[in-house]
Amino acid sequence: MEHERESADAAQVRRNLRFSKLPEPIRLEDTTEQRPATQHDTASGAYNPDWWLIRMGGL
């Protein structure tokens, strides 16, 4: 019975060490990535940044 109590106490100590503090905060800048949705095609010159506007009838 004493062995079970010691192992339970050891498990409690491990839990306390693991969960006793909050994780480090993460900056919002570290959670996002900005890159162009369409890569610029320099070979054909076909890149048009207003394609979506033309395609959707906005012009």
Side-chain angles (χ1 to χ4, degrees):
M1 184 85 167
E2 185 65 31
H3 178 64
E4 291 177 6
R5 184 175 183 178
E6 287 178 11
S7 65
D9 290 341
Q12 181 65 35
V13 168
R14 283 195 305 272
R15 278 193 297 275
N16 285 343
L17 289 174
R18 181 176 179 189
F19 298 112
S20 64
K21 62 181 181 176
L22 294 172
E24 294 295 322
I26 299 173
R27 298 182 318 158
L28 183 61
E29 295 84 21
D30 296 337
T31 63
T32 59
E33 176 183 347
Q34 292 183 356
R35 56 185 165 142
T38 306
Q39 295 296 322
H40 182 67
D41 185 10
T42 57
S44 67
Y47 178 75
N48 184 350
D50 294 325
W51 173 86
W52 65 273
L53 189 58
I54 297 166
R55 174 83 174 163
M56 299 301 163
L59 290 180

